């Protein structure tokens, strides 16, 4: 936990009540051990959607569909979401959740490896004005190569889980050997977002860390 737990609990208590369908999805995901965005991140993501008012949303990492439905709650009826997932069990659960969701026609689930799907979307010259990245952390930099091609100036990119429970500040030698590659790649990703002339970015200690970037 990056921020003191009691403070997080208090702030979460101020959040709005999730719609019933999302409450059910959140509870089931927690029971099944499927990670979904934390309550503080839910509030921030919903706020950014309301602020940005996107019409075309790209999500990398569907999981069971919770965050896609959360974003859809804040979108206009004309807006759409393309969301990518490769794990068969999560694709199955996401399809079941979307099937009973009243705004399911606004969500398109794209199955397959995110890098390959993103490359295909870029080759189709797809354009999005909002992207939410919440997938394999070690691949964020690779995903970004295609994402950048599909976001015009003014588009927003929100990247979740960038502080790795605070371990991002540690020396690589203080990190378990098996985690060092991801640790190094995340540092590279954050350095790029905060130093590239293409992006205006801020890193916030919300949830497990979030990067908010606007395309220049």
């Amino acid at each position: 936990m990056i921020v003191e737990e009691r403070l997080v609990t208090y702030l979460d208590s101020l959040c709005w009540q999730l719609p019933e369908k999302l409450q059910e999805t959140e509870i089931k995901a927690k029971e099944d051990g499927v990670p979904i965005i934390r309550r503080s991140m839910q509030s921030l993501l919903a706020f950014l959607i309301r602020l940005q008012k996107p019409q075309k949303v790209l999500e990398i990492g569907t999981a069971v569909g919770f965050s896609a439905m959360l974003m859809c709650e804040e979108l206009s009826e004309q807006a759409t979401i393309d969301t990518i997932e490769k794990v068969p069990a999560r694709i199955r659960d996401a399809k079941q959740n979307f099937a009973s969701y009243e705004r399911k026609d606004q969500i398109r689930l794209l199955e397959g490896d995110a890098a390959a799907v993103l490359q295909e979307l870029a080759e189709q010259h797809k354009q999005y004005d909002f992207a939410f990245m919440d997938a394999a952390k070690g691949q964020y930099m690779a995903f970004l190569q295609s994402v950048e091609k599909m976001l015009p100036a003014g588009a927003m990119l929100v990247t979740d889980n960038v502080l790795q429970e605070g371990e991002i500040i540690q020396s690589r030698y203080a990190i378990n050997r098996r985690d060092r590659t991801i640790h190094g790649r995340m540092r590279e990703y954050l350095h790029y977002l905060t130093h590239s002339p293409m992006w205006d970015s801020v890193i916030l200690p919300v949830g497990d860390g979030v990067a908010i970037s606007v395309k220049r």
Side-chain angles (χ1 to χ4, degrees), residues 1-3 38 40-41 160-161 165 204-210:
M1 178 88 48
I2 298 172
V3 180
R38 306 177 193 193
S40 54
M41 185 60 200
D160 199 14
N161 300 318
E165 299 290 349
L204 301 175
V206 174
D208 190 23
V210 57

Side-chain angles (χ1 to χ4, degrees), residues 92-110:
R92 178 200 64 214
D93 291 345
K95 285 182 175 180
Q96 291 176 353
N97 287 325
F98 292 155
S100 57
Y101 181 53
E102 60 182 8
R103 300 180 67 174
K104 60 181 179 293
D105 292 340
Q106 292 180 251
I107 302 174
R108 182 172 68 142
L109 177 58
L110 305 176

Side-chain angles (χ1 to χ4, degrees), residues 2 20 23 30 33 47-48 51 69 81 99 108 112-114 116 128 132-133 143-144 147-148 162 164:
I2 298 172
E20 183 177 353
Q23 289 185 40
K30 289 179 178 179
F47 174 78
L48 292 173
L51 183 68
M69 292 186 292
I81 299 176
R108 182 172 68 142
D113 179 75
Y128 301 91
F132 179 49
M133 194 180 299
F143 296 158
L144 189 61
V147 170
E148 285 183 333
V162 298
Q164 301 177 330

